[in-house]
Each structure stands twice: as C-alpha cells, then as structure tokens.
Amino acid sequence: MGDPGRVEGLEPYSVLGASRSDSPRALRRRYQELVRQLHPDRAAQGLGEGEREEQLRRFLEVERAWRTLGDAETRREHDLRARDRALQQEGPIQDSFSIDDMDWDDDQLEASRPCRCGGLFTVSAAEVRGPRGGEGGGEGGGSPPPPPPLLLLGCDTCSLRAELSGASG
C-alpha cells in the first residue's frame, strides 16, 4: 500500500493545512476544525452528489492524516521518513555547523537551528546517537548527545540541506 505516512500521495501536514513545526495541540485543533467542516453528517445537506463524494473523500484524507500525525510515535516515524526522502534528493547544502551551534530542547530531546527560509534544521537525540547507542548526554543532562562525525540534515520547509559535524568541545 506504500508509505503509511502518506495520504494517497498527499503529505499529511498539507492535508491538515499544518506545518512540521506545529505543536500537537495545534495539529489537534486543525484536525477538529476540518472534521467539523467536512463530516458527512453535517456537510451533506444542500450538496449535490458529486460535491458530497468530494467532501467524503476529503474527510477520509483528513482522518488518514490524523492517524499519522495524531500519535507522537507515528508522527516521529513519518517525519524521519520524510527527512530521509528529502535528503536522498539532490539539494544544495546551505551550511555546515556543529551540534554546539544548535539550540537544544530538553522537552523534545532535539536540537534545532534556523534555515535561511525561516524553517528549521532539526535533529533528535536518537538520530545523533546513531549506531553508538546511548552514549552522551540528552537524558536530562541539559545538553545533546554527541553526533556522529557527519550527518546531513534537511530543512523542514525547503529543499536546503546542512551538514552537522561532531561537537567541537
């Protein structure tokens, strides 16, 4: 059936009219708004047959997108697959920086750095640990674990890439 994180070729964030940087609360709010607008029991009144079918199709797309993005684990898996797809495509490398140059978020266990487009380059603690397992910080220590020698990061909104090198300290 293909990538479960894709909604019949559509990006779940696009289906919900959201972005990767939206909080779970913002995603839920957007999902609820769309369900209220598109639910077949509410929206079917006064519509022709073709319009009802289109409305139902859109409602089902929203439901599939929510199944992917509404759960933290499936959202993380989707985002990692999307990042892998983006990095496999050719795109310019905008920057090269160290994990020390990124802002660490203890709540999300990820580091981020702004892209020139306004998006973010982000990397999770799990990604920077890579095959080395649990070594390094990141578990309540207030600092990220050291990354592998080189890791390519994709911006969450554009096609630019950045090289993340090991920590300088």
Side-chain angles (χ1 to χ4, degrees), residues 55-156:
Q55 197 104 8
L56 177 60
R57 183 192 61 76
R58 179 88 171 97
F59 175 78
L60 293 173
E61 287 174 351
V62 168
E63 286 294 318
R64 283 188 212 110
W66 180 246
R67 279 197 303 263
T68 299
L69 301 179
D71 176 71
E73 183 62 24
T74 58
R75 180 181 180 184
R76 186 184 71 76
E77 289 172 9
H78 166 76
D79 291 347
L80 289 174
R81 282 192 305 271
R83 180 179 294 165
D84 286 345
R85 282 191 304 272
L87 290 176
Q88 288 172 1
Q89 299 173 357
E90 284 299 315
I93 294 180
Q94 177 212 352
D95 206 350
S96 181
F97 45 82
S98 157
I99 192 81
D100 296 331
D101 299 325
M102 299 180 81
D103 296 322
W104 181 252
D105 182 339
D106 281 325
D107 294 330
Q108 298 292 322
L109 291 179
E110 68 182 18
S112 63
R113 179 181 171 105
C115 176
R116 68 181 182 209
C117 76
L120 290 173
F121 295 108
T122 58
V123 63
S124 70
E127 290 175 291
V128 295
R129 271 188 222 110
R132 294 184 299 181
E135 82 182 52
E139 281 91 30
S143 65
L150 184 67
L151 185 65
L152 284 177
L153 304 178
C155 175
D156 65 355

Side-chain angles (χ1 to χ4, degrees), residues 36-63:
R36 273 193 298 275
Q37 291 172 9
L38 299 170
H39 195 281
D41 291 343
R42 292 188 64 170
Q45 300 161 352
L47 296 178
E49 184 65 30
E51 293 172 309
R52 276 196 305 259
E53 288 177 15
E54 175 62 23
Q55 197 104 8
L56 177 60
R57 183 192 61 76
R58 179 88 171 97
F59 175 78
L60 293 173
E61 287 174 351
V62 168
E63 286 294 318

